[in-house]
Amino acid sequence: MSSILQEFDISWIQEYLPASLDIKQTILLGSVGLAVFSSYNFIWFYIRPIFSPMRSLKGPPGGSWLFGHLPQTRDVPAVGDWHRDQLRKHGHVFVYKGLLNQDRLCTTDPKALQHVLNNSFVYQKPHEARYSLSRLVGEGLLFVEGDVHKRQRRIMNPAFGMLHIREMTEIFVAKSNELRDALKKHSSSSHETGEWTDTEMLSHLSCTTLDIIGLAGFDYRFNALDNLVRKDQGENELSLAFSQILNSMSHFPFLGFLKMWFPIFRLITFDTRARAERSSKKTMETIGRKLVEERKQVLKEEMGKGQASKAKDLLTLLIRANLAASGGGGAYGDKSLSDEEVMNQIPTFLMAGHETTSTATTWALFSLASHPDVQTKLREELLAFPSDTPTMDELNGLEYLDRVVKETLRYHAVVSGTIRVAEEDDVIPLEQPFTDKHGTVRHEIIMKKGDGIFIPIRVVDTLQEVWGDDGEKYNPDRWLDPPKRSTSVPSVWANQLSFIAGPRSCIGFRFALVEMKALLFALVRSFEFKLAVDADDVVGKVGIVTRPALRSRPQEGHQLPLLIRPV
């Protein structure tokens, strides 16, 4: 059993123990003992599968009592390969083991997925996942569930409408051109010689999208790209706080595992990770509160003078809607967010609007570098456009750019999957029946309260039964005549699951699409891109999002080295 602890960082506890005690035996026995004593769920975790109707479903054997089949899902050449392999073996409905031996349903049946995603009051994020999410982004829109989510979503929807995205496009384009200029300077020597310049694109795009969400989200200047170009390590306070929280989530200490599954352990607040989280969240809350108060004051003054605010950022739009709903006063009701709720959206904007778009654009450049013919065709379309400052409507009017973005998000779904847990007993309908392991044909799936379901986004988005024989290949021209079968996929955009579907679909998907198009417009118009390593050396590493890394240099973390040359 002590070998399990090798998976976790437990060195933090040594300073609190007498030197004579064996750290691994002490922490293992003490932790398990406290878990059993403090939580009846510990025993129930291992008993409930015996009584679950999922016992009758087909699925892979084995799985460890602690990690289930999760190690196998990650030990594959490409994201989604393990789930795809199980689908071929067991059919479109199967069950496997998740953490702590829990049964986890997996299906690609479109009617079943539609049912789960549309019934967000019944199927919610797992409580342990919500706890981890709260440590990262607070209790914003990504965290809340049920009526609270419904109210917040309804209030926030107008801020993400096309009218406001059209106004924000100016920010997207300006920052994209700033990245273009920085890369031109970086590769200036190759412009005359025709040589290629080795460039790590993920970091450049990550800094650019952080700058964009800072300005478009809450009119805050991170200057991340400028700092990267100048090799200036002096991150500003908010950027540093957010980076520290992200870094704390990048490793998984044993105590963090216990805190996630057994709430009693959350009383332990002296470990290094907890201290770092508290410090970073305090900084983010202080700055967030200041931003909210400043925006409120300015808007109240403008309202008092009868002036219309020219601010375009999402935070100002939310506060303006709040003040309008409360008549300019401080009373908050069903049609407005409290100051605390508004403040909680700031880290949510950072997380959802920063990592996802930078990663998706990075994968787009990888695919363009891997398919020179696609890259050339896209560049011809972009160079034919007479300006380097397109509007939102002009970006959306570039047909091949639109097809490249659709194909990139389908083929490289940056969120490869998501989990939901039934909050009550339910019956999931199916489009196609399946045969269980006893030979019985079933037309529905029985779910008990607490049962989990994994929605394999990337698998569904590349499923050959939906997308044809080339579903697992990158081909933007498929969007000239999308397969009719794809209309069955639950979706808010382009018949794909990349932005989920239903009440919890991505509220900012229009924002992300226009931002991604602006970035690709500026970059592909100005540079040629070529892989700096073999394509097989680039792998997707699943975390909050699926970012590229090098198989040959895993210790270097997430990256995508490309060779670039000015056009």
Side-chain angles (χ1 to χ4, degrees):
M1 291 177 66
S2 63
S3 62
I4 295 169
L5 296 178
Q6 294 175 3
E7 299 291 328
F8 302 97
D9 175 16
I10 59 173
S11 58
W12 63 271
I13 201 69
Q14 185 67 64
E15 60 184 292
Y16 302 99
L17 292 177
S20 60
L21 291 181
D22 183 295
I23 184 174
K24 291 186 177 180
Q25 290 182 2
T26 301
I27 193 67
L28 180 64
L29 294 176
S31 300
V32 173
L34 184 56
V36 173
F37 177 77
S38 63
S39 177
Y40 69 91
N41 285 333
F42 187 81
I43 301 299
W44 181 239
F45 281 144
Y46 292 96
I47 294 178
R48 79 181 302 275
I50 299 173
F51 304 99
S52 172
M54 289 193 190
R55 288 190 68 195
S56 64
L57 305 186
K58 295 178 181 178
S64 76
W65 68 274
L66 185 58
F67 296 110
H69 289 104
L70 297 189
Q72 291 94 310
T73 67
R74 291 173 177 267
D75 187 24
V76 288
V79 176
D81 279 1
W82 186 85
H83 291 90
R84 201 188 313 276
D85 187 47
Q86 302 310 310
L87 287 165
R88 294 187 179 115
K89 291 178 180 177
H90 306 294
H92 69 295
V93 175
F94 71 93
V95 66
Y96 66 101
K97 294 294 184 182
L99 285 172
L100 296 180
N101 201 45
Q102 294 300 288
D103 286 331
R104 186 173 290 175
L105 174 68
C106 181
T107 181
T108 56
D109 188 275
K111 190 173 182 179
L113 296 176
Q114 189 86 44
H115 176 84
V116 171
L117 293 172
N118 280 341
N119 288 279
S120 61
F121 278 73
V122 177
Y123 293 95
Q124 300 183 358
K125 290 186 178 75
H127 295 286
E128 58 276 7
R130 292 184 67 213
Y131 166 74
S132 294
L133 195 60
S134 72
R135 311 309 301 162
L136 181 63
V137 298
E139 299 184 6
L141 191 67
L142 290 176
F143 171 85
V144 295
E145 296 281 358
D147 287 324
V148 178
H149 176 270
K150 184 178 180 180
R151 178 178 61 84
Q152 287 193 10
R153 176 83 181 220
R154 185 183 67 248
I155 294 167
M156 293 174 65
N157 266 332
F160 290 90
M162 295 304 291
L163 174 64
H164 296 307
I165 303 302
R166 180 175 286 107
E167 294 176 341
M168 292 176 190
T169 303
E170 182 180 337
I171 296 173
F172 304 160
V173 171
K175 276 295 174 182
S176 298
N177 286 340
E178 186 178 319
L179 171 61
R180 174 202 64 195
D181 294 342
L183 291 175
K184 280 187 175 180
K185 186 176 181 180
H186 171 67
S187 59
S188 57
S189 62
S190 66
H191 185 66
E192 296 179 359
T193 63
E195 296 178 353
W196 297 85
T197 303
D198 199 329
T199 307
E200 201 291 288
M201 286 305 303
L202 179 60
S203 58
H204 281 83
L205 285 165
S206 182
C207 288
T208 304
T209 57
L210 181 59
D211 284 345
I212 288 174
I213 194 59
L215 292 171
F218 35 93
D219 195 25
Y220 186 89
R221 296 187 181 278
F222 284 105
N223 297 319
L225 179 61
D226 187 50
N227 288 341
L228 177 69
V229 171
R230 293 188 293 108
K231 296 182 172 58
D232 184 354
Q233 300 301 314
E235 295 180 282
N236 66 43
E237 201 174 11
L238 182 57
S239 176
L240 183 60
F242 187 65
S243 296
Q244 286 176 341
I245 288 183
L246 281 178
N247 290 337
S248 75
M249 302 296 290
S250 65
H251 64 282
F252 197 53
F254 186 53
L255 183 60
F257 174 81
L258 294 174
K259 284 183 177 183
M260 186 170 71
W261 284 90
F262 305 107
I264 189 68
F265 288 101
R266 297 171 194 174
L267 297 174
I268 301 174
T269 59
F270 51 75
D271 57 291
T272 302
R273 182 177 180 178
R275 291 197 298 266
E277 286 178 352
R278 275 199 310 277
S279 174
S280 298
K281 291 189 74 172
K282 183 178 180 181
T283 299
M284 294 178 75
E285 288 171 2
T286 299
I287 296 175
R289 189 170 287 108
K290 181 181 178 182
L291 288 171
V292 170
E293 288 302 321
E294 287 176 350
R295 297 297 184 281
K296 281 179 65 177
Q297 188 61 36
V298 171
L299 286 170
K300 283 181 179 180
E301 291 176 1
E302 291 175 343
M303 290 173 67
K305 297 177 182 178
Q307 297 175 345
S309 174
K310 296 181 180 180
K312 303 173 183 178
D313 61 284
L314 296 170
L315 183 63
T316 300
L317 294 173
L318 289 181
I319 296 173
R320 185 193 301 159
N322 263 9
L323 293 174
S326 62
Y332 299 104
D334 189 53
K335 296 181 180 180
S336 59
L337 302 176
S338 69
D339 283 355
E340 192 75 18
E341 287 177 315
V342 172
M343 196 173 67
N344 282 333
Q345 306 312 324
I346 292 175
T348 300
F349 291 161
L350 279 174
M351 183 69 256
H354 163 43
E355 292 290 328
T356 50
T357 310
S358 63
T359 302
T361 310
T362 302
W363 283 119
L365 293 180
F366 170 77
S367 288
L368 292 173
S370 303
H371 299 82
D373 55 328
V374 175
Q375 183 181 163
T376 299
K377 186 174 180 179
L378 176 59
R379 184 175 297 106
E380 289 173 353
E381 178 184 68
L382 302 184
L383 286 172
F385 190 79
S387 167
D388 65 354
T389 55
T391 64
M392 182 193 77
D393 295 317
E394 288 169 338
L395 284 170
N396 288 336
L398 295 167
E399 295 181 0
Y400 197 65
L401 174 62
D402 187 62
R403 298 206 295 272
V404 167
V405 169
K406 284 178 178 176
E407 184 66 357
T408 297
L409 292 173
R410 181 198 73 87
Y411 187 74
H412 296 289
V414 294
V415 178
S416 60
T418 187
I419 301 171
R420 296 291 184 266
V421 171
E423 295 295 311
E424 59 186 60
D425 293 354
D426 190 43
V427 177
I428 300 178
L430 294 169
E431 183 176 280
Q432 297 290 331
F434 71 98
T435 303
D436 67 19
K437 63 183 180 182
H438 304 299
T440 303
V441 176
R442 297 184 177 272
H443 297 267
E444 56 191 20
I445 304 170
I446 306 298
M447 298 288 285
K448 292 294 183 182
K449 181 179 179 179
D451 285 344
I453 177 172
F454 177 72
I455 299 171
I457 295 173
R458 187 169 191 275
V459 173
V460 172
D461 280 353
T462 55
L463 206 62
Q464 290 185 352
E465 290 84 349
V466 173
W467 300 99
D469 293 339
D470 69 341
E472 296 176 35
K473 296 180 180 178
Y474 187 86
N475 176 22
D477 284 337
R478 78 174 69 253
W479 297 98
L480 288 169
D481 185 23
K484 291 182 174 58
R485 178 66 176 161
S486 67
T487 59
S488 66
V489 176
S491 175
V492 292
W493 176 80
N495 298 338
Q496 54 183 270
L497 262 178
S498 300
F499 294 110
I500 314 292
R504 295 210 63 113
S505 60
C506 176
I507 192 173
F509 77 92
R510 297 182 185 89
F511 183 109
L513 290 171
V514 179
E515 180 184 8
M516 187 175 175
K517 287 180 178 181
L519 287 163
L520 289 174
F521 179 90
L523 294 176
V524 179
R525 202 169 184 263
S526 304
F527 301 95
E528 293 178 72
F529 294 91
K530 190 164 69 170
L531 293 176
V533 296
D534 289 339
D536 291 341
D537 196 22
V538 179
V539 294
K541 291 294 183 182
V542 177
I544 298 169
V545 293
T546 303
R547 292 186 286 181
L550 299 185
R551 198 189 309 272
S552 61
R553 306 199 296 264
Q555 72 281 359
E556 295 180 5
H558 300 107
Q559 60 176 307
L560 181 65
L562 291 179
L563 299 175
I564 69 171
R565 182 169 63 184
V567 173

